[in-house]
Structure formats: structure tokens, C-alpha cells
Amino acid sequence: MIIRETVEAREYETLLPYGAKSAESKGRLHDEEKCRFRTEYQRDRDRIIHSKAFRRLMHKTQVFLSPEGDHFRTRLTHTIEVSQIARTISRGCGLNEDLTEAIAMGHDLGHTPFGHSGESVLNRIYSKGFRHNVQSLRVVDVLESSSSRRGMNLTMEVRDGILNHTGNVRPFTVEGQVVKISDRIAYINHDIDDAIRSGIISIEDLPKSSIGILGKTHKERIDTLVRDMIENTCGRPEASMSEEKLEAMNELRSFMFSRVYNSREIKRFENVDKLDIVIESLYDYFMENQDQLPEELLEMKDEFSSEELVKDHIASMTDRYALNLYSRIFVPAGWK
């Protein structure tokens, strides 16, 4: 029988000095009895994977809104790809794979429906502004509750990695830093893959200087960047990649922002303005009809403002739920 203490002892034998040891975790917001078999980070991973917020990711947009093809990424498949890339790097660097996986699985739980377009709208209409990484932390700390506890009560290491997977603050664990860079590696390359599949761009459109360094195919680019991360992170207190590979990756990122993410043509094609109307209309509706919020949010009305609870409700929606709800509330049956 392998119990938690055995796994914790093995971590001291197998992880390199900068790998986070689960027995040395900074703890949870609220103390609780340890599991007999799983480490603290393994428990965090399991709580995230079994959450409702995690399941909703399968119906949330990554880049392309409501794609008809079966092979386009969703927010869930993006999350899995980030986890796979980050775990490979962590394994190669002697870091804690369980911590890495927990952070990766939880990093996008706070994303809105309709991808970054939805995030932009909510950031504009919610008075305090909206950032999906902050909302992801709110999901695990407050919103994903059970009958026995408020939130998931995750460890400080996982909470920090989720909050700081984007933005200017560096996560305090190397594992969190690995996830932060892996997120960028994943979305740049799989969004290129999806954009080529959709016909928006072709492989010939990609910057030749970047492709010459990283590789022409999706597989080659991921492999190049993962290898570079391992070579430049192993044995060091901070996760990093070589200047050459970083510049090449950032050039691809700039290309994707100009040709795909911020493309006016794509936004017109996907009727982004209509999606803005959906989110704004639902937001205004629930601000005026707060009694129709879900019961679990109404139970928090003495702790949080109505505006924050409405923001929570809108952010939690999947693409199809938001569209169906908008139709039920605002579209007369005779118009369908």
C-alpha cells in the first residue's frame, strides 16, 4: 500500500532542488485533515477536475465561435494541451508534475462565454473590470462550493499559479512559471493550427523567420519550444527559454494578434457585435431581475454586491447556454 507519506518521501528523492515538495506546501486558506493516500497537490488537481466549472470548459470558445468542425479547440481542449506541455517540461526539469497539472487544469476556469470577446465586454460593463485569471481564482475560492466547504480550498501554490498564469506577476513556484509559459506555447501554436484549418491563414502566411527557427509544422514548433524550455529551466530557480526561441515565439504571437485575434474581417464574419449584445442584454436583465439568479448565488447576496453576483453568473455561462437563455428571454416564440 502506497500512502501519502511514501509519495512525499519519494519527492525528496526524485525532484530536483527547485521542485516544489508537497510536504512543504504553504497550506490552504482553511486547515483540513490531510488525505491518507494523496498529496496536497494531487487533491487540488482532483478537486478541479471534478468541478462543474471544469466541465463547462468543453462548451466555451477558445478562439473560433461555435465552430462547425469537430476538430477545433475549445477551452477544455486548450486546458488539456497546456497541461500536457507543462507536465512534459516539469518532468524533464525534475519539478512537481502534480502541482503543475493542478495549476494547468485550473488556470482558465474563470473564462467567459465567447472567448476573449466575451471577456472584453464584461470588462467594459462590470464596474470593477474583469480579468479571467482573477475570476478563475474566485471560482476556486468562492463559487465552486460544496455542502461541506466554501470554494475548493486549494493550496497557496495552486492558487498563486492560477492567479498569475497571465499578467506581469511571476508565480512563486517554478511549476507555476512553467504553466504560464506553456499556456502561451499552447495557444499560439494550436490557434495557428485552427486558423489554418479554417482557411483564415495559410502556412505560407506565417513569418518565415519564426518558422525557420521553430519549425514549419505544429508538431515541430511544440517540440522545439518544449526542448528549449527544459534546457533553459532545468536546475534554475526560474522558468525561461532562450532569447532566440522567445523572440521567434513572440513574433508568431504578434502575427496571430494582427491576423486572427484582432482581425476585423474575422470579427465581422463571426458577428462579434451580436455577441456583445447578448452579454450586455443578459447582464442588464439580471441586474433588473436579481431574484432570477441561481440559488447558490442568491445565498451569497449578503456577502457580495448584486453586480458582482451578476458578473459571476454571466462569466460562468457556456456559449450555448448564453445564446439559448438570450433567445428564451428576448426573442418572441413566433420569431423562431
Side-chain angles (χ1 to χ4, degrees), residues 45 204 322:
R45 174 203 58 205
E204 287 73 24

Side-chain angles (χ1 to χ4, degrees), residues 4 14 65 85 103 148 152 192 194 196 201 216 239 255 258 277 279 282 285 304 319 330:
R4 173 178 48 81
T14 59
L65 305 175
I85 290 170
I103 296 170
S148 61
M152 297 187 198
I192 289 173
D194 282 353
I196 292 174
I201 62 173
K216 187 173 183 179
F255 168 83
S258 64
I277 294 172
I279 292 181
L282 290 174
Y285 176 82
F304 305 105
D319 296 22
F330 297 105

Side-chain angles (χ1 to χ4, degrees), residues 141-171:
D141 279 355
V142 177
L143 300 179
E144 192 71 33
S145 299
S146 67
S147 58
S148 61
R149 64 170 183 267
R150 161 63 60 83
M152 297 187 198
N153 195 30
L154 303 182
T155 60
M156 300 302 177
E157 292 79 9
V158 174
R159 295 178 65 253
D160 168 77
I162 289 173
L163 177 62
N164 296 312
H165 80 271
T166 187
N168 297 324
V169 179
R170 182 190 293 268

Side-chain angles (χ1 to χ4, degrees), residues 187-202:
Y187 78 69
I188 291 172
N189 286 285
H190 65 47
D191 290 351
I192 289 173
D193 194 37
D194 282 353
I196 292 174
R197 177 177 290 107
S198 70
I200 292 172
I201 62 173
S202 68

Side-chain angles (χ1 to χ4, degrees), residues 40-212:
E40 296 295 81
Y41 303 144
Q42 289 171 345
R43 295 181 81 189
D44 285 0
R45 174 203 58 205
D46 294 350
R47 289 178 182 182
I48 291 169
I49 290 176
H50 289 287
S51 69
K52 298 186 295 294
F54 185 78
R55 293 195 294 275
R56 288 195 296 267
L57 295 177
M58 75 172 73
H59 296 300
K60 292 199 177 192
T61 287
Q62 172 61 21
V63 173
F64 298 98
L65 305 175
S66 301
E68 293 183 2
D70 290 335
H71 302 135
F72 288 92
R73 272 78 171 185
T74 65
R75 190 62 60 182
L76 178 61
T77 57
H78 161 72
T79 294
I80 294 171
E81 290 186 30
V82 172
S83 178
Q84 180 271 321
I85 290 170
R87 286 184 61 196
T88 299
I89 295 169
S90 288
R91 187 183 309 121
C93 294
L95 302 175
N96 194 311
E97 280 190 65
D98 294 324
L99 173 57
T100 301
E101 185 177 22
I103 296 170
M105 289 298 187
H107 82 282
D108 270 355
L109 293 179
H111 254 294
T112 63
F114 314 129
H116 290 289
S117 297
E119 182 173 8
S120 296
V121 177
L122 208 48
N123 182 56
R124 174 167 52 81
I125 62 179
Y126 176 54
S127 65
K128 295 182 179 179
F130 183 90
R131 291 188 297 153
H132 77 270
N133 56 316
V134 175
Q135 186 68 15
S136 293
L137 186 64
R138 180 165 169 79
V139 169
V140 301
D141 279 355
V142 177
L143 300 179
E144 192 71 33
S145 299
S146 67
S147 58
S148 61
R149 64 170 183 267
R150 161 63 60 83
M152 297 187 198
N153 195 30
L154 303 182
T155 60
M156 300 302 177
E157 292 79 9
V158 174
R159 295 178 65 253
D160 168 77
I162 289 173
L163 177 62
N164 296 312
H165 80 271
T166 187
N168 297 324
V169 179
R170 182 190 293 268
F172 66 75
T173 65
V174 184
E175 288 84 356
Q177 297 166 26
V178 166
V179 172
K180 185 168 189 166
I181 300 175
S182 297
D183 182 34
R184 184 164 292 192
I185 292 174
Y187 78 69
I188 291 172
N189 286 285
H190 65 47
D191 290 351
I192 289 173
D193 194 37
D194 282 353
I196 292 174
R197 177 177 290 107
S198 70
I200 292 172
I201 62 173
S202 68
I203 188 68
E204 287 73 24
D205 294 326
L206 298 176
K208 291 181 173 55
S209 55
S210 297
I211 297 306

Side-chain angles (χ1 to χ4, degrees), residues 207-215 221 247-252:
K208 291 181 173 55
S209 55
S210 297
I211 297 306
I213 293 172
L214 301 179
R221 292 191 297 273
E247 288 180 357
M249 184 177 73
N250 286 339
E251 184 179 21
L252 281 181

